Structures are given as C-alpha cells and as structure tokens.
Amino acid sequence: MSRPMVLTAALVGAETTREQTPYLPITAEEIAEDAAKCREAGAAMVHIHVRTAEGKPSQDAELFRAAIRAIRKRTDVLVQVSTGGAVGMDVNERCGGLTLTGADKPDMATLTTGTVNFGEEVFWNPRPLVRDIAKRIKSIGLKPELECFDVGMIDEARYLAKEGLVDLPAHFDFVLGVPGTLQARPEVLDFMIASLPEGSSWTVAGVGRQQLPFVEEAAKRGGNARVGLEDNIYLSKGVLAKGNYELVAEAAKRARAAGRELATPEQARQLLRLG
Ligand code: KMH
Ligand code: ZN
C-alpha cells in the first residue's frame, strides 16, 4: 500500500480578494464551513490566514481564535496558521496565531526561510526575522511547515537546524509559481525533492493554473499537495471554484486516479511528525 497523501486546503490567504472571487471565505463562520466541507472532500489540514470584517488581511490573534474555534466546532481537520501574513507586516503582527494556547492552539505553523520577490513586492524574511519566528514556533511546541519559494530556502532550513532552531527531518512546502519566484515545472519539483534533508516530508503548492496539475505531480512522486483559494481561484479555465472544497474534491479525484489514498487528520499528524 502506498503512503496516504496529505491534502492541505489553503482557505483564505492574504492576497485573494472578494473582487476576484465571491467564494472567498472571510468570517470565522465562512472559514469553518468551508473547512468542514474540505475535510469531507479529503483534506487533512487547512492552512489559514484571517481577515478583518472588511476583508483586509490580518494576523490578529482574536480573529485566529474565532476561526480556530469555529473550525474545531465543526470538524477534526488539522489547523495550520500562517506566520507569513501579508507583505509589509512586522514580525509581531505576523505571529498573532502563535500566541494562542490551550484548546485554541493551532496544530502547525508556517515558517518561510528566506526573502523572495512576490509579484511587484518583496516578501521580506531576513535571517534575524526567520530566527525569531522559528524560536516562537519551537517555544510553544509546534512543528513548522517550512515554506520554500526557492531551493535555497531548503538549504537555509539546514542552517537553522545547525543553530538548533529547526529539527530535522522536517516537513517542507514547496510553493511554486508566485510571480517573481521559482515557477512550477516538474524538473523543479524533482530538484527540490532531491535537495531535501534525509527523511523529510514534503507538500507542493502550485500557484495559479499549475495548482491542480501539481497535485498529480505530487501524487506520482509519493508526496503531498496543497490546493485552495489562497493560491488559485479556478477549478478549470475561466470557471471559478465555488469554495475551497471544490478544489479539494478535484485534487482528491486526481490523487485517487494516481493510486493514492488520502490521509485522515490522524494519519497526517503521524506523517508530518506533529506529535
Ligand atoms: N502571503 C504571503 C506574502 C505563509 O502563509 O506563511 C506569505 C504567505 C506565507 O502566505
Ligand atoms: Zn499562506
């Protein structure tokens, strides 16, 4: 039996707008409703950002708390909080989700290990800032998902491990296809997999129209995949996904067609070594 595939749904993001798609969840209830449908469709984890009532990107702890409570009321899907936030946010703002404790504590948090162009802007992650976020994640007993927009960010994770800020093997997410960064091509994925520290696990998040094809690329290679409105709003050319759950359902279909079963949240916990 092949290893079950972990599907993550990136529900909200910081860049997608209601003008682009009316199906973007914004409130805690909308996020939770979509999260529960994503779980039913085959997702084991959701990656969340939060928004103000006006839809502005935020990393406010209370907004995260409300979203996490609403999700956990409805479903057992794992919850990963973003520490990337939106470009231009300072480190304390970005780490709002890491201040939650007890029943509101997330299951995982992202950690981007380097600076990268991000469309017309810059997603700023110099070493001191990355160290700061890595320490915060470690100090609350969470495991990071190492978000790599470029292959050098995998090497940077090795460097952080030498400093004792990240434990190896770890779980990596290759984000491929953001304008201005490394694009989603099969040979890029192969190189990234070959560059991983021994024993590490990986997910690939193809951005834009490469999202669903890269579920297949991941499935073939024994890895995991991320889909969702953070990275892509279309189910097919010109057809908006009517919620994250439609993208998860399509990803699940493609994963199964490639011979992969889907991981439950409990299996994902083991596979990603979340403890
Ligand atoms: N919104 C991007 C600038 C993360 O969630 O950790 C960063 C991002 C990464 O989305
Ligand atoms: Zn994100």
Side-chain angles (χ1 to χ4, degrees), residues 10 13-14 47-49 82 84-85 110 147 226 230-231:
H47 162 80
I48 60 168
H49 293 236
S82 166
T110 55
E147 302 260 315
R226 172 172 120 171
E230 171 164 345
D231 303 326

Side-chain angles (χ1 to χ4, degrees), residues 14 47 54 57-58 70 88 93 127 134 142 144 151 155 187 210 229 251 256:
H47 162 80
E54 295 74 43
S58 168
E93 193 176 4
R127 269 189 182 167
L142 289 188
V151 75
D155 292 318
E187 65 273 23
Q210 292 302 340
L229 297 173
R256 290 193 177 108

Side-chain angles (χ1 to χ4, degrees), residues 64-77:
F64 270 121
R65 189 193 307 281
I68 291 174
R69 284 189 179 172
I71 291 169
R72 289 190 173 147
K73 222 187 265 176
R74 288 167 189 255
T75 174
D76 63 350
V77 76

Side-chain angles (χ1 to χ4, degrees), residues 14-15 47 49 82-87 110 112 118 123 147 149 230:
E15 292 79 26
H47 162 80
H49 293 236
S82 166
T83 67
V87 290
T110 55
T112 300
F118 203 88
F123 181 29
E147 302 260 315
F149 293 74
E230 171 164 345

Side-chain angles (χ1 to χ4, degrees), residues 120-141:
E120 305 295 315
E121 299 177 287
V122 177
F123 181 29
W124 188 244
N125 294 291
R127 269 189 182 167
L129 183 146
V130 176
R131 282 193 190 101
D132 185 350
I133 300 178
K135 279 184 198 155
R136 295 186 202 213
I137 292 173
K138 205 163 194 190
S139 73
I140 60 167

Side-chain angles (χ1 to χ4, degrees), residues 64 72 182 247 255 270:
F64 270 121
R72 289 190 173 147
L182 193 57
L247 293 166
Q270 308 286 320

Side-chain angles (χ1 to χ4, degrees), residues 14 31 33 35 43 47 49 81 85 95 114-115 128 130 160 163 172-173 176-178 198 200 217 260 262-263 272:
I31 292 170
E33 197 178 311
H47 162 80
H49 293 236
V81 291
C95 290
T115 296
V130 176
L160 293 168
E163 290 195 344
F172 289 77
D173 180 32
L176 302 179
V178 172
E198 182 142 7
S200 293
E217 299 295 339
R260 299 286 302 278
L262 300 175
L272 309 186

